[in-house]
C-alpha cells in the first residue's frame, strides 16, 4: 500500500475513485447507480476514468499541460509518485466531479 503514502488524503480519494471506477463520472453514474440517464460525455464517448485521463478531446489541452509527454494510464493511476500528483492535480482542474 506504499503507493499512497506521500499523497494528501483528498488526493488519495481521487486516485481510488479513478482506480476502482467507483466515481461520479457518467459511465458509473448511469450503468451502475442509474443516477444519470446516459454513460456518455458530450464528446459522445463513455465517460470513464480511462477516457478522461487518456483520450477525451475536451480535456486534451489540460492533459498536455500536466503530462507534456505521453503517459500510460498505469502510471497515472499507480505511480511513480510524480504522476500520481499530476493525476490529483488534473482532477480538480478538469472541472469534473470525480
Ligand atoms: Zn470525452
Amino acid at each position: 500500500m506504499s503507493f499512497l503514502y506521500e499523497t494528501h488524503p483528498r488526493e488519495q480519494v481521487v486516485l481510488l475513485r479513478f482506480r476502482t471506477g467507483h466515481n461520479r463520472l457518467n459511465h458509473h453514474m448511469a450503468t451502475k447507480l442509474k443516477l444519470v440517464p446516459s454513460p456518455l460525455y458530450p464528446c459522445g464517448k463513455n465517460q470513464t476514468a480511462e477516457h478522461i485521463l487518456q483520450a477525451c478531446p475536451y480535456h486534451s489541452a489540460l492533459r498536455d499541460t500536466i503530462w507534456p509527454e505521453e503517459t500510460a494510464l498505469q502510471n497515472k493511476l499507480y505511480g511513480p509518485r510524480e504522476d500520481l500528483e499530476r493525476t490529483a492535480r488534473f482532477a480538480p482542474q478538469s472541472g469534473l466531479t470525480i
Side-chain angles (χ1 to χ4, degrees), residues 3 15 19-20 73-81 83-84:
F3 49 78
L15 291 168
R19 285 172 184 156
T20 61
L73 181 65
Q74 175 79 14
N75 290 11
K76 293 180 181 180
L77 295 182
Y78 297 100
R81 182 172 59 115
D83 282 317
L84 297 181

Side-chain angles (χ1 to χ4, degrees), residues 41 43-46 51-52 55-59:
Y41 195 56
C43 68
K45 300 291 172 100
N46 265 309
H51 177 67
I52 294 300
C56 186
Y58 282 35
H59 302 291

Side-chain angles (χ1 to χ4, degrees), residues 1-74:
M1 296 297 106
S2 62
F3 49 78
L4 288 176
Y5 69 107
E6 289 183 81
T7 52
H8 186 279
R10 190 171 51 238
E11 297 174 346
Q12 293 178 21
V13 169
V14 166
L15 291 168
L16 281 170
R17 286 182 177 174
F18 272 142
R19 285 172 184 156
T20 61
H22 295 171
N23 53 50
R24 301 187 69 77
L25 298 175
N26 286 348
H27 179 74
H28 185 65
M29 294 289 277
T31 61
K32 294 295 193 300
L33 304 180
K34 317 285 188 199
L35 292 177
V36 300
S38 168
L40 305 182
Y41 195 56
C43 68
K45 300 291 172 100
N46 265 309
Q47 193 195 34
T48 61
E50 178 172 10
H51 177 67
I52 294 300
L53 289 169
Q54 298 298 87
C56 186
Y58 282 35
H59 302 291
S60 62
L62 177 60
R63 279 198 311 272
D64 290 348
T65 301
I66 292 183
W67 288 281
E69 292 168 9
E70 194 170 330
T71 301
L73 181 65
Q74 175 79 14

